[in-house]
Amino acid sequence: MLKTLIKARLSAFWAGLGFDKKTGKKRSVGKLVLFGFLYVYLIAVFLGLFLGAFFLLGTLTLQTEMAWLYFAAAGLLAVLLAVVGTVFGTVTQLYEAKDNDLLLSMPIPPKYILLSRLLTLLLGNVAFEAVVLLPAFVMYFVVGLPFGAISPWGILSLLAGMLVLPFVSLTFSCLFGWLVAQLLRRVRRKSLVQTVFSLALLGLYFYFYGKMMTGADSLENISLILHPLANAVKTYFYPFYLFGLGCAGNVGAGLLSLLFAAIPAFLVFWILAKSFINIATAKTALKKTAYREKTMKRSSPRRALVKNNLSHLFHSSGYLLNSAIGLFMLLVGAVALLVGKDAFLSSFLSMDGMEGAEEITAFLTADALAALLTAMVCFLASMVMITAPSISIEAKTIWILRSSPLTGRDVLLSKVYASELLSVPVLLIVSVAVIVVAAPVWYVALGVLLLPQLFALFGALFGMIVGVAFPRFNWNNETEAVKQGMAVFLAMFGMMGISVAAIGIGFILSILLGAGAALLLLSLLFLGLSLLLLWIMLSVSARKFEKIQV
Amino acid sequence: MLKIQNLTKRYGDKVAVEGLSLEIGKGEIYAFIGHNGAGKTTAIKACCGILPFEEGEILIDGHSIQEEPLVCKKSLAYIPDNPDLYEFMSGVAYLNFIADIFGVSASLREEKIKALSEKFGLTADLAQPISAYSHGMKQKLAIIAAFLHEPKLIIMDEPFVGLDPKASHTMKEMMREFTQKGGAIFFSTHVLEVAERLCDRVAIIKKGKLLVSGTMEEVKGNTSLEEVFLELAEN
């Protein structure tokens, strides 16, 4: 029975990857290859990021008495990433699963239902942790071998860590998931809670990642930076300190860290097993919002559509976080740029002692710095994909638009407007921050203001066109529509590729003609391309939208 | 009001509706009956401009749904078999959205929302998010939205599913009032007793083809609609 349950959960996962849920047919080889390539690319990016980080951290710690910090950092980052990555999955699969009622009505022991869910969640944790632990394992050999810092115990401990740490993250996922589920049951604005919680977890993760890797770029200040970090791990993450010590050769500490992992895990899983029926069937009645008649206002259909699109975005944490994360990052970047203006400028413009510092400082004029920052802004803006999944998420409700007196043009334009309504002010703030920090001449400043706006407009139109061309309606959870599907992949990687190409072209142009000319010429290019895409959207895509069959 | 001429709709090789012809006049309630998968929903969606079709013509108040979709859609309202509405909106926000799309004036929408939601006992829940609504409440909201913009033709797919007896009764009354004022209603149903008592005309469809159509008396004669349907379905 347990086997059947696990098989059902895994087949649901594989069906999403290899089969079209609507037709039940296998996806074409071409599609599978493309999806495979994109997944491999994504994983490779993360692996590369961690390989680099652990190479530097290993160089700094493995041959010193602080070797434990390498392992502790690996363990802590792995657990944090897995918790961040799986906590909402835990909420939807464990506490708010839609098939809880159905399964509980069948002659299946509740503990089997719980176990099948925990096992599939555990697999998710293993996958997330592998992204951190595999690079840590590889770099342990790469860095450790030349220094003779490898020990069989270290290898064994890391392997044991790979087996044990997913249980630790699963324990935390279950705990945080329970808290989130309790909170979500009691609040009306569920998406707001989910968004804030996700951003907080993401922020926390990057805070720790940044803290741990800060020492890695400054070989001269190892003791200054690593010792406070080591103290912080000892004080606030004692079990991970023990885990690090264990991997570094302290058997007692290693065994103690196992206890630290096992006791909470046992307690959490025991409580879950005892109270699963209550958890799965719990419902908290929310106090009804009283309806009060108000004077109603009439809006134009186009305005109503834009409002509807924005409302959908802000009421869906999955949509907001996955499609507008670039805007959050841009806002954070703008604030950081303004607040840390002096530190930022000194780190960029004074590189005494560094190899090639003179050349870099000579190149980094105010104008070039503005252009460089604008390139970064455009890259982040390429992560704004509000329009690409906007057709897929209509799915079951598309009949409302299709049976209303609206043209395809009205619908598509409203979605681009909604995207622009959000990105225009954010990009304006970021551009102003760039101008304040870099203080370029007026025509460069004009480019700083124009290019991100036109790039974002191009991105919104591009997303809209691929969104209509490759809609995905066979989803069970809205997040699937936002995260997966050809339209989202094409928009994400297409825009990333285009931004990299544009940065390359801009770099060459700035060497040949100067930063101002490069920014303005690129602005002109994206204006032209946007007009072309607008024409395609209003003609080809609008007609296609009017013929979409769900 | 609604004229379907030789409608044929295919999904790849499969013919969902073949050569369907029907005519629904002003003031008529027309029932569309058939077993599951007979092609009722396909035909209904084609009438609303949701599904494109290969052959035939559909005219709404004399306008072609293919040639003048906006003119047609302005005068019709559609209620689907499953009321999938915008779950992120509150009930009143959804009604306001529909009123905006159909250009209903502020005063008329205030008056209509008040009257219709009171009729269906939904007033107290209008501020709730639709995601908190039961199936029946969503169905009521979809019905209110359909009547809100004063269409000339209402096309409904299984409108009574999920409605409680009181709401069902209210719905039947509203359908009669609507047609008495010159409106036309075309709806599919599996509740043959309702069709028999409520409708002026009826059409029975099987495997995409029209088996019989006409006034209720013409179709059922001295027997019941259920007997006629079962006999036709078996043969």
Side-chain angles (χ1 to χ4, degrees):
Chain A
M1 195 178 284
L2 179 64
K3 214 169 140 187
T4 314
L5 283 171
I6 294 169
K7 212 172 146 189
R9 301 209 73 78
L10 290 178
S11 63
F13 174 73
W14 288 117
L17 292 179
F19 290 86
D20 189 313
K21 284 178 193 167
K22 200 173 184 181
T23 59
K25 286 179 185 168
K26 257 191 170 179
R27 288 190 202 281
S28 68
V29 178
K31 265 188 183 177
L32 281 176
V33 169
L34 186 66
F35 272 100
F37 171 75
L38 294 170
Y39 276 117
V40 167
Y41 170 77
L42 209 62
I43 292 166
V45 167
F46 274 96
L47 285 177
L49 190 77
F50 285 111
L51 278 171
F54 283 115
F55 175 76
L56 290 165
L57 194 62
T59 312
L60 293 170
T61 58
L62 280 178
Q63 53 178 333
T64 69
E65 77 282 2
M66 288 176 73
W68 66 267
L69 188 59
Y70 179 84
F71 302 106
L76 189 54
L77 283 176
V79 168
L80 272 172
L81 184 67
V83 173
V84 171
T86 61
V87 68
F88 283 108
T90 310
V91 174
T92 51
Q93 287 188 47
L94 199 60
Y95 303 110
E96 304 282 339
K98 285 181 181 167
D99 57 351
N100 270 342
D101 289 352
L102 179 73
L103 291 175
L104 285 171
S105 71
M106 292 179 179
I108 305 170
K111 65 180 176 189
Y112 282 4
I113 303 171
L114 174 68
L115 208 57
S116 68
R117 295 196 194 287
L118 286 177
L119 282 172
T120 40
L121 284 170
L122 185 69
L123 283 179
N125 280 271
V126 170
F128 272 104
E129 291 188 7
V131 174
V132 179
L133 292 177
L134 282 178
F137 198 71
V138 170
M139 281 304 148
Y140 178 55
F141 281 94
V142 172
V143 181
L145 268 178
F147 299 130
I150 303 271
S151 71
W153 177 255
I155 297 169
L156 207 67
S157 303
L158 256 181
L159 286 173
M162 281 184 177
L163 291 174
V164 173
L165 287 172
F167 286 94
V168 177
S169 55
L170 180 62
T171 308
F172 282 106
S173 277
C174 290
L175 280 173
F176 280 124
W178 182 79
L179 282 174
V180 174
Q182 293 309 307
L183 198 62
L184 289 178
R185 282 173 187 170
R186 285 167 173 77
V187 294
R188 257 168 238 290
R189 295 296 302 270
K190 292 183 185 353
S191 62
L192 186 71
V193 175
Q194 279 176 316
T195 307
V196 171
F197 200 81
S198 302
L199 285 175
L201 280 177
L202 208 65
L204 195 72
Y205 180 75
F206 280 111
Y207 173 76
F208 280 114
Y209 180 83
K211 275 273 175 197
M212 287 193 177
M213 298 309 158
T214 312
D217 58 10
S218 178
L219 286 161
E220 290 165 6
N221 297 320
I222 300 169
S223 59
L224 283 177
I225 293 157
L226 288 188
H227 283 292
L229 181 65
N231 286 334
V233 173
K234 274 184 213 173
T235 315
Y236 301 112
F237 302 99
Y238 192 70
F240 287 94
Y241 167 60
L242 290 176
F243 171 71
L245 280 180
C247 291
N250 187 331
V251 181
L255 292 173
L256 204 58
S257 73
L258 267 183
L259 268 185
F260 268 106
I263 293 171
F266 175 78
L267 276 175
V268 167
F269 300 147
W270 182 74
I271 293 168
L272 279 175
K274 283 280 166 199
S275 54
F276 182 64
I277 294 182
N278 288 337
I279 288 169
T281 54
K283 289 219 169 15
T284 311
L286 280 176
K287 203 180 162 194
K288 246 188 195 178
T289 312
Y291 173 65
R292 286 188 187 87
E293 280 179 41
K294 287 179 193 161
T295 311
M296 290 175 175
K297 284 179 190 165
R298 181 180 170 173
S299 298
S300 68
R302 188 165 287 177
R303 199 182 160 90
L305 281 172
V306 174
K307 215 171 129 189
N308 176 37
N309 292 322
L310 289 174
S311 177
H312 197 163
L313 181 71
F314 284 109
H315 281 85
S316 166
S317 64
Y319 187 17
L320 188 63
L321 281 171
N322 285 287
S323 303
I325 190 80
L327 291 178
F328 285 109
M329 289 161 93
L330 281 166
L331 269 181
V332 171
V335 174
L337 209 55
L338 288 171
V339 173
K341 181 185 166 192
D342 295 336
F344 175 79
L345 285 176
S346 63
S347 68
F348 259 85
L349 298 175
S350 62
M351 301 177 202
D352 296 340
M354 264 188 69
E355 204 179 320
E358 275 180 30
E359 288 85 351
I360 296 171
T361 312
F363 173 75
L364 275 178
T365 58
D367 293 349
L369 181 64
L372 187 70
L373 287 171
T374 306
M376 288 162 75
V377 170
C378 287
F379 186 75
L380 286 177
S382 73
M383 292 179 199
V384 181
M385 293 179 300
I386 296 168
T387 50
S390 64
I391 299 296
S392 299
I393 56 167
E394 294 284 349
K396 288 175 185 169
T397 56
I398 207 164
W399 68 269
I400 299 170
L401 300 176
R402 293 291 301 280
S403 64
S404 298
L406 298 164
T407 62
R409 285 177 170 213
D410 294 330
V411 175
L412 303 190
L413 268 177
S414 75
K415 292 183 185 294
V416 174
Y417 282 151
S419 175
E420 282 297 290
L421 262 178
L422 293 176
S423 53
V424 166
V426 172
L427 288 169
L428 197 63
I429 292 168
V430 185
S431 294
V432 169
V434 170
I435 292 168
V436 169
V437 170
V441 295
W442 71 269
Y443 55 89
V444 175
L446 185 67
V448 172
L449 286 168
L450 283 178
L451 182 57
Q453 297 290 355
L454 290 163
F455 182 78
L457 174 64
F458 172 82
L461 292 164
F462 181 72
M464 198 67 258
I465 289 168
V466 294
V468 177
F470 305 100
R472 184 191 164 169
F473 296 124
N474 55 341
W475 44 265
N476 296 317
N477 182 315
E478 199 174 75
T479 313
E480 282 176 39
V482 175
K483 273 185 174 174
Q484 299 165 7
M486 189 63 84
V488 176
F489 272 118
L490 284 177
M492 181 162 67
F493 291 104
M495 282 310 291
M496 272 187 189
I498 290 167
S499 68
V500 170
I503 289 168
I505 294 169
F507 183 70
I508 295 167
L509 285 175
S510 65
I511 289 172
L512 296 173
L513 306 167
L519 288 175
L520 291 172
L521 280 172
L522 277 176
S523 301
L524 210 61
L525 175 70
F526 279 105
L527 175 67
L529 289 173
S530 297
L531 288 172
L532 177 68
L533 290 193
L534 182 67
W535 177 76
I536 294 171
M537 186 189 86
L538 294 178
S539 51
V540 183
S541 304
R543 273 200 302 276
K544 184 161 172 30
F545 175 79
E546 286 164 8
K547 292 195 185 325
I548 281 177
Q549 297 188 30
V550 182
Chain B
M1 183 57 70
L2 172 65
K3 199 171 183 180
I4 305 171
Q5 294 172 324
N6 206 26
L7 172 71
T8 298
K9 168 71 192 168
R10 293 185 188 90
Y11 294 107
D13 296 333
K14 194 192 165 203
V15 183
V17 178
E18 193 177 355
L20 179 71
S21 295
L22 292 173
E23 198 168 338
I24 294 118
K26 284 179 183 173
E28 277 184 351
I29 303 180
Y30 204 121
F32 196 34
I33 294 166
H35 56 78
N36 293 329
K40 302 188 297 292
T41 300
T42 299
I44 280 176
K45 282 185 174 177
C47 290
C48 300
I50 295 172
L51 274 183
F53 47 90
E54 288 76 31
E55 287 168 37
E57 181 62 284
I58 294 173
L59 300 173
I60 291 168
D61 207 11
H63 302 279
S64 161
I65 191 78
Q66 305 237 75
E67 303 296 324
E68 302 169 276
L70 294 198
V71 179
C72 293
K73 287 175 185 179
K74 267 182 188 163
S75 58
L76 74 84
Y78 166 60
I79 300 171
D81 52 347
N82 208 359
D84 290 308
L85 309 173
Y86 295 128
E87 304 245 323
F88 54 88
M89 285 184 171
S90 66
V92 71
Y94 177 71
L95 294 175
N96 250 318
F97 172 72
I98 295 295
D100 283 338
I101 295 297
F102 282 88
V104 180
S105 71
S107 56
L108 182 64
R109 77 177 69 176
E110 271 179 35
E111 180 196 317
K112 283 262 176 189
I113 289 174
K114 190 177 177 184
L116 292 168
S117 57
E118 268 171 21
K119 260 188 182 179
F120 281 103
L122 204 65
T123 311
D125 295 294
L126 283 180
Q128 300 288 92
I130 295 175
S131 56
Y133 280 20
S134 67
H135 181 94
M137 287 161 81
K138 285 181 193 170
Q139 187 73 1
K140 287 176 188 174
L141 193 70
I143 293 167
I144 295 172
F147 281 91
L148 183 60
H149 56 89
E150 300 191 325
K152 292 178 184 171
L153 168 70
I154 300 180
I155 300 176
M156 301 184 281
D157 201 353
E158 295 288 348
F160 296 101
V161 174
L163 291 183
D164 56 54
K166 188 173 179 293
S168 198
H169 177 74
T170 307
M171 175 71 177
K172 283 179 231 166
E173 271 184 1
M174 281 173 64
M175 286 167 76
R176 284 197 196 98
E177 276 172 31
F178 179 73
T179 48
Q180 276 162 14
K181 287 178 188 167
I185 290 176
F186 179 49
F187 78 106
S188 73
T189 184
H190 288 301
V191 191
L192 300 183
E193 291 81 4
V194 170
E196 198 169 340
R197 269 185 275 133
L198 195 67
C199 299
D200 306 298
R201 293 161 75 88
V202 63
I204 299 176
I205 183 175
K206 186 182 177 184
K207 290 183 183 169
K209 288 181 185 168
L210 185 69
L211 292 181
V212 64
S213 70
T215 63
M216 192 58 74
E217 287 69 32
E218 284 168 359
V219 172
K220 74 179 178 80
N222 293 326
T223 60
S224 72
L225 186 61
E226 188 177 28
E227 281 174 57
V228 175
F229 176 73
L230 289 175
E231 195 186 324
L232 287 170
E234 277 169 24
N235 298 325

